[in-house]
Amino acid sequence: MSAVTVAAPRTLPRQEEVLTEDALGFLAELHRRFTPRRDELLLLRARRRKEIAGTHRLDFLPATAHVREGDWQVAEAPPALQDRRVEITGPTDRKMTVNALNSGARIWLADFEDASSPTWENVIGGQLNLNDAFHRRIDFTDERGKDYALRPDAELATVVTRPRGWHLDERHLSVSGRAVPGALVDFGLYFFHNAKRLIELGKGPYFYLPKLESHLEARLWNDVFVFAQQALGIPQGTIRATVLIETITAAFEMEEILYELRDHASGLNAGRWDYLFSIVKNFRDAGETFVLPDRNAVTMTAPFMRAYTELLVRTCHRRGAHAIGGMAAFIPSRDADTNALAFQRVRADKDREAGDGFDGSWVAHPGLVPVARESFDAVLGDRPHQKDRLREDVAVTADDLLAVGSLEARPTCEGLRNAVQVGTRYLQSWLAGRGAVAVFGLMEDVATAEISRSQIWQWINAEVVLADTGDRATRDNVRQVAADQLLAIRDELGEDAFVAGGWQRAFDLLMRLSLEEEYVDFLTLPAYDMLD
């Protein structure tokens, strides 16, 4: 059997603890069994996108109507995943690992995906940090002398790990010259090193699955789970997965996705920015009907977003799964007035989710955990969830999910400036190895950059007129607006910091992806080649 080739420096501390001979053998077998099918599914994505370009339509699948109409349930959630009223998200660096576990949230989404820049140090270091946490050897003192230590086990959040999406490869690990998919690397190393220890702790290997575009991709994950449990002698069904419904195509296959994973499924999650990014990506050439306004103008109360979230709750509860709401990305500041206003908005958002029937929701900062918990405590009380709320009042059609044109807001030049600023600032940090980035008081991840560059591309190609200036979004006009924003960043930082921070290459990448005639499916694909 072909072995895994490691094309990375061997100087990373403790790397050998992760890349053991047995662990690499496990990765090689995952690669051999499942990468060919992964490749076929990526081709199916491209084929489906071509069909959407021709029809500008999506609908529920006739071939799977029997699944939607059938009488079935997912497996009952294990004790550690029964109560998910507040979940915190973040990368797997050492500081975040301690803070997230100690945050008071019920769940920590330990992220190897959108909140993590996939440098080799982050990929391997994250695995080490999680393993250290499960063995309580992660206490440390930072360079300022601040101590970080774990609370007692009973007070720690339950870890749910998010591997990379199916479309991303890990260039440092290959078999017979072919890179191993990042999803299999992140899943395989985590499962191999931690599954049995997690079971000893009364928990288990739990995962969030990102960027799925069809139930066939969920079926592949289920096959991976079945093999992995068999290979390590772990009872079938020990793995549990929550799927992010963050693509427009997956929104039409929620029931089918749960069905494919039914022995391993624990819920679905509504991911806002990636969902909007997916709408733009799939309907980018469908004219003004599918043009999104400024990203901050698209709230979760927009009719097509409300249709998506209410359908998610109904689907989950009908099948016995948890419905998990979206992100509160605000970062508490030292300004009391700013915090009061932001907390009010977060509370309103979480009140809406709890009232709609969600069983929990996400926050990006420990300071928001009490705010979100209050909203869900008020509805749940001592109950772990509200899956008994079947939401049989909800009836969502394909037209409801696709009613983007119902929005009254329109793109603005101010929105264009914000897209350039946020996209540039995020990419600068991502290229420097930081995937969770504070920008203008919000915790941003890759989805932020994706929606920013996608909207710029869409506005140009739809030749929209910017509502606040009356200017048309041509390539020349966008270049001028963007150049002014880059100059503002340069003036803010100073010349030395601007050059040393690699800001120009981040800006150039954003502009290339926004201005090219050919749309790039994922910005992380060309950006990955720029990582050290």
Side-chain angles (χ1 to χ4, degrees):
M1 182 174 61
S2 298
V4 175
T5 299
V6 181
R10 297 283 183 163
T11 56
L12 199 63
R14 300 175 61 199
Q15 176 173 303
E16 69 283 355
E17 296 179 31
V18 176
L19 302 179
T20 65
E21 183 178 349
D22 289 342
L24 290 175
F26 182 63
L27 286 187
E29 188 62 18
L30 288 174
H31 177 78
R32 185 184 69 80
R33 288 173 177 263
F34 302 111
T35 297
R37 180 63 178 153
R38 189 285 306 248
D39 295 344
E40 292 174 3
L41 291 172
L42 293 184
L43 291 176
L44 285 178
R45 284 186 180 182
R47 188 180 306 165
R48 191 177 199 183
R49 157 59 199 153
K50 188 174 181 180
E51 292 172 356
I52 294 171
T55 64
H56 302 158
R57 285 291 301 172
L58 272 173
D59 210 336
F60 299 98
L61 303 178
T64 56
H66 65 285
V67 173
R68 297 191 298 277
E69 296 165 2
D71 183 16
W72 53 270
Q73 296 264 297
V74 303
E76 184 178 358
L81 293 179
Q82 283 284 339
D83 191 328
R84 305 179 60 171
R85 66 188 66 200
V86 184
E87 304 191 358
I88 191 168
T89 73
T92 53
D93 62 85
R94 210 159 183 83
K95 178 180 176 182
M96 183 65 192
T97 297
V98 176
N99 286 343
L101 290 171
N102 287 344
S103 65
R106 298 300 179 106
I107 304 291
W108 171 36
L109 187 157
D111 201 6
F112 287 93
E113 200 231 3
D114 271 7
S116 179
S117 175
T119 63
W120 185 240
E121 182 178 359
N122 288 341
V123 169
I124 299 301
Q127 295 285 348
L128 284 166
N129 291 334
L130 292 173
N131 190 264
D132 282 350
F134 299 144
H135 289 86
R136 300 197 62 90
R137 57 188 183 216
I138 199 169
D139 299 355
F140 72 101
T141 303
D142 69 11
E143 64 280 359
R144 299 168 299 171
K146 184 176 180 179
D147 295 326
Y148 291 84
L150 292 179
R151 293 177 177 174
D153 285 350
E155 299 178 24
L156 300 181
T158 294
V159 174
V160 179
T161 299
R162 180 163 68 168
R164 281 168 280 184
W166 280 127
H167 60 288
L168 296 167
D169 285 338
E170 175 49 65
R171 68 181 181 219
H172 298 97
L173 299 174
S174 62
V175 176
S176 300
R178 177 66 193 278
V180 181
L184 296 180
V185 171
D186 300 337
F187 163 80
L189 292 175
Y190 179 79
F191 182 79
F192 184 87
H193 289 296
N194 300 300
K196 292 179 180 178
R197 174 59 179 165
L198 286 165
I199 293 169
E200 292 173 0
L201 293 172
K203 299 185 177 182
Y206 307 140
F207 297 92
Y208 258 109
L209 304 181
K211 304 290 192 294
L212 266 64
E213 297 194 17
S214 76
H215 70 284
L216 298 178
E217 297 179 17
R219 181 182 298 171
L220 176 58
W221 268 119
N222 197 70
D223 291 344
V224 170
F225 295 161
V226 170
F227 166 76
Q229 289 166 133
Q230 182 180 33
L232 268 63
I234 288 173
Q236 293 295 326
T238 302
I239 292 175
R240 293 304 171 93
T242 304
V243 178
L244 291 112
I245 303 298
E246 54 186 353
T247 67
I248 184 63
T249 51
F252 283 85
E253 300 183 38
M254 293 187 203
E255 297 230 35
E256 292 90 334
I257 286 169
L258 283 177
Y259 181 79
E260 294 293 346
L261 287 159
R262 59 194 179 278
D263 293 332
H264 299 102
S266 59
L268 302 177
N269 169 274
R272 176 183 177 185
W273 294 130
D274 266 311
Y275 190 73
L276 294 176
F277 157 52
S278 176
I279 290 175
V280 174
K281 178 166 65 172
N282 281 285
F283 293 95
R284 60 184 181 266
D285 42 18
E288 285 213 43
T289 303
F290 284 93
V291 169
L292 288 173
D294 304 356
R295 72 163 184 143
N296 292 328
V298 186
T299 68
M300 296 303 285
T301 59
F304 71 99
M305 295 298 284
R306 190 145 182 80
Y308 145 66
T309 55
E310 291 199 313
L311 179 61
L312 188 146
V313 173
R314 176 186 168 94
T315 300
C316 285
H317 289 183
R318 182 185 180 201
R319 303 306 183 182
H322 282 72
I324 307 300
M327 172 71 79
F330 172 70
I331 303 171
S333 73
R334 295 179 180 178
D335 183 79
D337 292 338
T338 299
N339 281 351
L341 179 60
F343 284 176
Q344 180 181 352
R345 291 173 177 170
V346 170
R347 190 171 291 108
D349 186 52
K350 300 311 172 190
D351 285 349
R352 174 189 55 79
E353 289 181 330
D356 283 348
F358 280 96
D359 303 294
S361 190
W362 282 7
V363 300
H365 191 279
L368 295 183
V369 170
V371 181
R373 188 170 54 228
E374 284 180 13
S375 295
F376 281 89
D377 284 351
V379 172
L380 296 178
D382 294 332
R383 296 178 299 156
H385 52 71
Q386 53 180 331
K387 288 190 282 190
D388 58 317
R389 284 196 63 194
L390 299 181
R391 292 306 311 270
E392 292 176 342
D393 57 304
V394 171
V396 173
T397 67
D399 287 340
D400 293 332
L401 291 172
L402 298 177
V404 177
S406 65
L407 294 174
E408 295 183 3
R410 291 292 179 262
T412 69
C413 191
E414 182 57 34
L416 173 60
R417 296 187 194 100
N418 182 260
V420 173
Q421 281 272 353
V422 172
T424 300
R425 290 171 186 270
Y426 181 81
L427 284 173
Q428 184 274 336
S429 289
W430 192 91
L431 292 170
R434 300 181 300 275
V437 183
V439 182
F440 301 147
L442 299 176
M443 187 63 72
E444 308 285 18
D445 66 10
V446 168
T448 302
E450 290 284 27
I451 188 63
S452 295
R453 63 96 180 184
S454 295
Q455 287 201 283
I456 297 171
W457 192 98
Q458 184 187 43
W459 293 353
I460 292 171
N461 285 271
E463 299 182 334
V464 303
V465 175
L466 301 174
D468 53 344
T469 62
D471 295 330
R472 194 170 295 278
T474 65
R475 284 180 171 78
D476 286 342
N477 284 343
V478 168
R479 285 191 185 97
Q480 184 57 59
V481 170
D484 291 342
Q485 296 310 301
L486 183 65
L487 182 61
I489 291 173
R490 186 191 295 262
D491 290 343
E492 172 191 331
L493 297 172
E495 183 68 20
D496 291 345
F498 180 86
V499 173
W503 288 85
Q504 186 69 52
R505 72 169 183 160
F507 175 82
D508 290 346
L509 174 61
L510 178 69
M511 287 297 97
R512 174 161 64 88
L513 296 173
S514 302
L515 299 174
E516 282 183 346
E517 291 190 14
E518 189 70 24
Y519 182 88
V520 176
D521 280 345
F522 293 98
L523 69 79
T524 44
L525 296 175
Y528 187 44
D529 293 334
M530 299 169 64
L531 285 179
D532 295 333

